[in-house]
Amino acid sequence: GQQLNQSPQSMFIQEGEDVSMNCTSSSIFNTWLWYKQDPGEGPVLLIALYKAGELTSNGRLTAQFGITRKDSFLNISASIPSDVGIYFCAALPPAADALNFGKGTSLLVTP
Amino acid sequence: NAGVMQNPRHLVRRRGQEARLRCSPMKGHSHVYWYRQLPEEGLKFMVYLQKENIIDESGMPKERFSAEFPKEGPSILRIQQVVRGDSAAYFCASWRSGYQETQYFGPGTRLLVL
């Protein structure tokens, strides 16, 4: 499948700081999704993006579908301790059935 | 996790035994995906099924692994003669045909092969 390069691999920040992570690829995609996974649980959908250039917010989270269709970013504003977890980007290639996943960004937030 | 159910949540098997993992999709969803996650890794696609049909099994190992989604009942991922390398978290996701492509995941089954 088409590889998604997710960065950074991990982040260690203080409560109240803003966070930014992104995924890039050499391939184009029709859909970008951002998930959060807590230890021992399945991924939970945070934001879904379906059109190039689309910018969508969900509370303190904002994500954008890159205009080239090859990248996406996720921002978290004013982080809080419960934001701790692993964040995954996922994308659906054209005419494909299954999502490709990035390797995740591990976020740690200190009070 | 939006109503996708998986069981068991944890499964321990000895090498050579069989593992059966079950997934019940969200109500109204007729498409099921299985993914495998190794420690420190993202999810890797294994197989995509509709009711009574395997649509895409390109991510599934050719031997020992099989999947089904019968007309009635849950989807089953079956691993025969398990080996230590099969130890992983296995996630099921579902979505509803005709909607924008958004997959909702179950809580996963953690398989440990001793």
Side-chain angles (χ1 to χ4, degrees):
Chain A
Q2 293 92 328
Q3 186 172 349
L4 299 183
N5 302 306
Q6 187 171 352
S7 65
Q9 187 175 354
S10 61
M11 301 184 76
F12 188 71
I13 63 169
Q14 283 198 314
E15 184 177 0
E17 289 185 10
D18 296 343
V19 171
S20 184
M21 60 191 78
N22 69 82
C23 273
T24 61
S25 177
S26 58
S27 304
I28 62 171
F29 296 93
N30 287 348
T31 298
W32 282 92
L33 306 171
W34 284 92
Y35 290 89
K36 183 189 178 207
Q37 186 176 25
D38 292 327
E41 298 296 328
V44 174
L45 182 68
L46 299 174
I47 292 181
L49 302 156
Y50 300 108
K51 287 171 57 176
E54 181 180 356
L55 182 71
T56 297
S57 293
N58 178 9
R60 293 180 295 107
L61 278 60
T62 302
Q64 185 160 31
F65 190 147
I67 197 72
T68 65
R69 296 171 63 194
K70 295 181 180 180
D71 60 350
S72 176
F73 72 75
L74 174 71
N75 288 343
I76 305 173
S77 63
S79 58
I80 58 179
S82 63
D83 290 334
V84 166
I86 302 177
Y87 292 79
F88 289 99
C89 63
L92 187 70
D97 305 316
L99 294 170
N100 294 355
F101 277 82
K103 291 194 173 183
T105 295
S106 178
L107 178 63
L108 286 174
V109 180
T110 59
Chain B
N1 287 317
V4 179
M5 294 194 295
Q6 289 187 250
N7 68 83
R9 293 290 303 270
H10 301 273
L11 183 61
V12 180
R13 285 287 178 265
R14 296 191 181 278
R15 281 178 293 171
Q17 292 184 320
E18 179 179 287
R20 279 184 181 241
L21 288 62
R22 295 173 190 79
C23 168
S24 295
M26 286 179 64
K27 187 177 180 181
H29 287 197
S30 58
H31 299 242
V32 164
Y33 297 77
W34 286 93
Y35 293 84
R36 178 163 63 178
Q37 186 180 35
L38 296 172
E40 312 289 324
E41 295 284 329
L43 283 75
K44 294 285 197 296
F45 166 73
M46 298 181 73
V47 61
Y48 164 39
L49 309 107
Q50 293 177 3
K51 288 279 188 182
E52 300 183 279
N53 271 321
I54 296 175
I55 305 302
D56 181 355
E57 55 183 348
S58 59
M60 199 142 76
K62 293 285 186 285
E63 297 178 352
R64 303 188 297 108
F65 284 72
S66 62
E68 62 177 11
F69 191 12
K71 188 177 180 182
E72 302 291 337
S75 175
I76 307 281
L77 179 67
R78 183 181 175 207
I79 311 172
Q80 295 177 288
Q81 298 172 346
V82 296
V83 301
R84 288 217 173 112
D86 296 333
S87 296
Y90 292 84
F91 291 96
C92 163
S94 76
W95 69 284
R96 183 166 46 177
S97 176
Y99 272 58
Q100 290 171 320
E101 290 83 0
T102 302
Q103 294 184 14
Y104 296 93
F105 283 83
T109 294
R110 275 117 191 112
L111 173 65
L112 176 62
V113 180
L114 302 176

